[in-house]
Amino acid sequence: MLHIEFIIAWHDACMKNIIETIFNILAPPPLPVREIERMALSEWRDRLRPGITDDGIRFLFPYSNQTVSAALIEIKTRRNPAIVRVFGSLLFECLEPYRKNRPIIMPIPVTPRRMRERGWNQCILILRELAKVDRGRHFETRSDILIKVRNTDDQVGKNRAERAQNIRGAFSVFDSKFLDRRDVVVFDDIVTTGATLREARNVLLHAGARTVFCIAIAH
């Protein structure tokens, strides 16, 4: 039954993506976004400010950087391919120390309902670009192992404890055989308290992953 829901969600997302593409042609992004789109990869590298949270979650930029936050909002709301390509390339470069043993890299998933509402998962978009750069050499990119089985409230406005409670039990592993003694990288676009990535890490470790490394674009 769950697979049928994901197939329906995938179909609805494809239709929404077509509509979104037409909309972008008829109503192009505003000038500040165009300026971000024109930024060279080298300019983004100069802005990198990698860090690590108290929970061991790594990130590439502070979300307080207005260019970074605007770029992430653009991906989430408009699926901007130019910015997606940049973040996919940057993520690939920043994961260089973790390529040993060809780990599985996977996004934080969304439910079929959220996929239908938005039309895409921005984390999947970024990982697709990473996969294009990688060409299967260093990572196995999967979005069908870690699944979200419960709709959750928006995390915005919740404190650390409330976020942890809200996300608890929301994830499951489709088939644990894919994780047997494998290293895993879990990716999210933004980390705030880290509750979502911590929950994903715990679920994957419990299902048999050897190690789970968490990374986000911004914090």
Side-chain angles (χ1 to χ4, degrees), residues 4 13 19 35-36 40 46 49 63-64 75-76 88-89 93 97 99 168 173 181 183 188 195-196 200 211 213 216:
I4 294 175
I19 295 171
E35 293 174 352
I36 294 175
D46 291 339
R49 297 294 184 273
Y63 190 74
S64 58
I75 294 174
K76 184 171 288 190
S89 296
E93 293 177 0
R99 297 175 190 174
R168 189 167 295 124
V173 169
R181 290 176 291 180
D183 297 327
D188 204 356
T196 300
T211 63
F213 168 75

Side-chain angles (χ1 to χ4, degrees), residues 116-184:
R116 286 194 295 268
E117 290 172 353
R118 182 175 294 163
W120 60 86
N121 178 342
Q122 65 274 14
C123 295
I124 291 178
L125 297 181
I126 293 171
L127 289 189
R128 283 176 181 168
E129 291 303 321
L130 177 147
K132 290 179 183 177
V133 177
D134 182 44
R135 293 182 293 177
R137 295 170 298 176
H138 306 291
F139 299 101
E140 179 183 352
T141 307
R142 299 286 297 267
S143 59
D144 59 346
I145 296 177
L146 183 68
I147 58 177
K148 194 170 185 183
V149 294
R150 179 173 66 81
N151 291 312
T152 54
D153 296 333
D154 198 321
Q155 295 279 60
V156 176
K158 290 180 170 56
N159 61 34
R160 185 182 181 90
E162 291 169 338
R163 284 171 178 254
Q165 180 60 37
N166 184 46
I167 201 69
R168 189 167 295 124
F171 300 127
S172 182
V173 169
F174 171 63
D175 192 334
S176 60
K177 71 181 181 184
F178 295 115
L179 296 174
D180 186 31
R181 290 176 291 180
R182 291 293 301 274
D183 297 327
V184 176

Side-chain angles (χ1 to χ4, degrees), residues 75-110:
I75 294 174
K76 184 171 288 190
T77 58
R78 294 179 64 107
R79 196 170 50 92
N80 190 303
I83 300 174
V84 167
R85 282 193 294 272
V86 166
F87 282 158
S89 296
L90 285 174
L91 185 63
F92 175 75
E93 293 177 0
C94 291
L95 284 173
E96 193 276 334
Y98 304 95
R99 297 175 190 174
K100 186 180 179 181
N101 300 323
R102 196 170 178 264
I104 301 172
I105 185 167
M106 61 183 69
I108 286 293
V110 299

